[in-house]
């Protein structure tokens, strides 16, 4: 469990002293009904497509996973060894729940699951992401996506 | 309605409290599984829906707790690791584990092995060569030796994890990693290699030993 009391001292210290960015003006979009949400998933698990180029550590780029791209050809290339990978190996929905989201759309719980979902490399310095995040935000707007579900690991 | 609503499913509550994203669901699961229990779609769905429902919240910022524990964080009494012989090389250990690994691939129609982009036999041979202090075969010449070794180790771990999951039962990650790090030749040799790297005079090897081979909880 990701509770500090269940971690080693080194891991706990690392997480407790991690320099986190503070945002004075976090954008807050007014509430919208769940059934109107068109949702994209954005993971920071360092996911890549099988046989694609590896993701360098510290990269701020993102990878795109089209709905037709099969789960069986999504790999985890995250730089850190300090988190569980058994769940990802057993069931990708524990990390990147594209199939679950599609079900929610089919059952009209949400309006739509995005055609594309995305993944960044975690453990990259937050300030490096500005350009690629702006690019992704524009991509989401062009695809008429109104909700992003962010999934750190 | 303008704007893109965001919802974060966060595993470290302290980081959510520090960064104060507009809407966040804190989940009490182990790092690496934000949606929780593998192969439990009912539970996973509860997590995902609870997070997405936060877009309906007018309160800002909001950090809500998901209070249910991951049912797969509990050890499975029925599970047993693969029973294998004692080997003198990781190559031989991989050969013996192959039937378990292949069974898991068939059962799940998927494998998470692949980041190194090379057959597991080549990766095991590279690991054995590095462990024996020899120069391994250049598998992907475009990569540095250290990066190739890192990817090889990532794939070897995934191969063993999947072999372990082929047995009956639904093991916790702790059970699988206990076996990997304490009962396999790969586990003991990765720990030994880490020691060698961190005690070397090479800054790059020290960095590799400190970051990329053995998770914190399995270091001696």
């Amino acid at each position: 469990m990701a509770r500090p009391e269940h971690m080693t001292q080194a891991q706990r210290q690392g997480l407790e002293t991690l320099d986190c960015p503070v945002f004075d003006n976090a954008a807050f979009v007014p509430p919208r009904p769940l059934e109107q949400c068109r949702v994209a998933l954005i993971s920071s698990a360092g996911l890549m497509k099988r046989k694609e180029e590896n993701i360098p550590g510290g990269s701020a780029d993102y990878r795109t996973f089209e709905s037709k791209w099969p789960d069986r050809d999504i790999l985890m290339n995250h730089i850190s060894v300090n988190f569980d990978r058994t769940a990802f190996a057993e069931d990708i929905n524990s990390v990147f729940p594209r199939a679950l989201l599609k079900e929610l759309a089919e059952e009209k719980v949400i309006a739509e699951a995005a055609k594309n979902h995305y993944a960044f490399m975690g453990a990259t310095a937050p300030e490096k992401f500005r350009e690629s995040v702006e690019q992704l935000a524009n991509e989401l707007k062009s695809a008429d996506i109104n909700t992003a579900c962010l999934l750190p690991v | 309605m303008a704007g893109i609503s965001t919802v974060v499913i966060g595993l470290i509550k302290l980081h959510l409290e520090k960064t104060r994203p507009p809407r966040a669901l804190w989940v009490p699961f182990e790092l690496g599984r934000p949606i929780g229990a593998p192969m439990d779609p009912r539970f996973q769905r509860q997590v995902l829906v609870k997070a997405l429902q936060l877009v309906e919240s007018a309160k800002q910022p909001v950090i809500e707790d998901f209070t249910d524990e991951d049912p797969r964080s509990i050890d499975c009494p029925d599970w047993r690791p693969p029973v294998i012989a004692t080997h003198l090389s990781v190559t031989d250990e991989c050969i013996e584990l192959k039937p378990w690994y292949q069974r898991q691939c068939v059962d799940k129609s998927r494998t998470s092995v692949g980041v190194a982009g090379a057959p597991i036999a080549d990766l095991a041979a590279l690991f054995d060569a590095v462990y024996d202090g020899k120069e391994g075969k250049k598998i992907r010449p475009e990569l540095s030796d250290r990066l190739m070794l890192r990817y090889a180790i990532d794939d070897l771990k995934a191969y063993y994890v999947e072999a372990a999951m082929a047995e009956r039962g639904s093991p916790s990650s702790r059970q699988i990693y206990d076996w990997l790090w304490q009962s396999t030749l790969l586990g003991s040799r990765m720990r030994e290699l880490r020691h060698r790297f961190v005690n070397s005079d090479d800054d790059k090897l020290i960095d590799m030993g400190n970051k990329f081979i053995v998770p914190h909880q399995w270091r001696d």
Side-chain angles (χ1 to χ4, degrees):
Chain A
M1 282 170 280
R3 290 199 166 101
E5 60 270 29
H6 296 125
M7 297 175 186
T8 64
Q9 194 185 359
Q11 196 174 16
R12 196 166 56 240
Q13 264 180 353
L15 292 169
E16 283 174 356
T17 57
L18 187 74
D19 198 14
C20 294
V22 177
F23 304 99
D24 297 329
N25 58 344
F28 187 83
V29 176
R32 60 164 47 95
L34 184 57
E35 62 270 20
Q36 289 178 15
C37 290
R38 297 182 294 277
V39 185
L41 303 176
I42 304 176
S43 168
S44 61
L47 303 176
M48 61 176 270
K49 292 177 175 174
R50 189 182 299 281
K51 295 186 177 166
E52 224 180 32
E53 210 174 305
N54 294 101
I55 312 166
S59 167
D61 295 336
Y62 59 89
R63 300 285 169 100
T64 302
F65 299 87
E66 305 81 6
S67 53
K68 284 183 182 168
W69 188 264
D71 280 348
R72 67 174 178 272
D73 287 328
I74 299 179
L75 302 171
M76 188 182 277
N77 196 198
H78 199 291
I79 193 167
S80 173
V81 296
N82 289 305
F83 64 84
D84 170 52
R85 299 200 181 207
T86 66
F88 177 77
E90 188 174 354
D91 177 9
I92 194 170
N93 281 296
S94 291
V95 175
F96 200 46
R98 296 193 305 167
L100 280 174
L101 195 69
K102 196 170 165 226
E103 277 177 26
L104 294 180
E106 285 164 359
E107 294 168 23
K108 311 280 186 215
V109 177
I110 59 171
E112 189 183 322
K115 288 191 173 58
N116 295 338
H117 300 287
Y118 306 89
F120 286 88
M121 172 64 93
T124 296
E127 60 273 17
K128 287 176 72 177
F129 284 115
R130 178 171 288 279
E131 197 180 321
S132 51
V133 165
E134 283 177 359
Q135 185 185 324
L136 177 53
N138 287 330
E139 198 173 323
L140 294 175
K141 282 180 199 163
S142 303
D144 208 19
I145 296 304
N146 61 20
T147 307
C149 181
L150 312 179
L151 298 160
V153 285
Chain B
M1 218 180 280
I4 299 172
S5 310
T6 60
V7 176
V8 184
I9 300 181
L11 292 148
I12 310 286
K13 195 160 189 185
L14 179 65
H15 292 176
L16 294 174
E17 289 165 349
K18 281 185 177 178
T19 54
R20 295 166 60 86
R23 296 174 170 101
L25 179 70
W26 172 72
V27 290
F29 315 143
E30 61 189 303
L31 299 181
R33 50 173 76 184
I35 308 296
M39 305 308 293
D40 189 341
R42 197 182 60 81
F43 183 87
Q44 294 171 343
R45 187 186 163 110
Q46 284 173 8
V47 178
L48 188 57
V49 169
K50 180 138 192 188
L52 292 172
Q53 280 171 336
L54 293 177
V55 298
E56 297 180 328
S57 170
K59 185 183 157 201
Q60 68 157 315
V62 56
I63 302 175
E64 202 156 299
D65 291 353
F66 187 87
T67 49
D68 293 352
E69 296 289 347
D70 176 353
R72 288 291 302 278
S73 64
I74 298 163
D75 289 352
C76 173
D78 297 333
W79 178 81
R80 299 284 178 278
V83 178
I84 53 172
T86 302
H87 291 286
L88 295 175
S89 72
V90 168
T91 297
D92 287 344
E93 198 169 61
C94 282
I95 290 169
E96 190 175 358
L97 285 169
K98 195 171 178 181
W100 279 274
Y101 169 73
Q102 286 181 324
R103 198 189 323 154
Q104 176 69 7
C105 291
V106 170
D107 286 352
K108 293 280 185 287
S109 303
R110 175 174 169 258
T111 178
S112 62
V113 175
V115 293
I120 208 74
D122 289 356
L123 306 176
L126 174 66
F127 183 88
D128 285 332
V130 172
Y131 178 82
D132 291 337
K134 297 174 188 159
E135 193 166 333
K137 183 180 133 193
K138 278 272 178 200
I139 299 174
R140 288 173 59 185
E142 77 276 17
L143 300 180
S144 70
D145 291 347
R146 280 177 306 108
L147 196 52
M148 187 65 236
L149 179 63
R150 200 188 104 202
Y151 292 155
I153 287 173
D154 282 352
D155 269 353
L156 286 165
K157 286 180 198 165
Y159 180 89
Y160 278 59
V161 161
E162 290 182 30
M165 291 190 306
E167 285 290 353
R168 188 168 61 91
S170 302
S172 65
S173 67
R174 194 194 63 77
Q175 286 176 294
I176 294 174
Y177 286 133
D178 267 350
W179 169 73
L180 170 62
W181 291 104
Q182 295 182 331
S183 303
T184 70
L185 186 71
L186 175 68
S188 65
R189 289 198 167 173
M190 284 193 291
R191 294 207 313 269
E192 197 179 325
L193 204 57
R194 175 185 175 271
H195 273 293
R196 267 194 247 161
F197 284 1
V198 297
N199 291 311
S200 75
D201 298 325
D202 183 331
D203 287 345
K204 288 180 175 171
L205 285 183
I206 293 170
D207 189 56
M208 182 159 181
N210 279 327
K211 291 180 183 166
F212 301 124
I213 304 176
V214 185
H216 283 296
Q217 61 266 45
W218 297 106
R219 293 180 186 177
D220 2 75

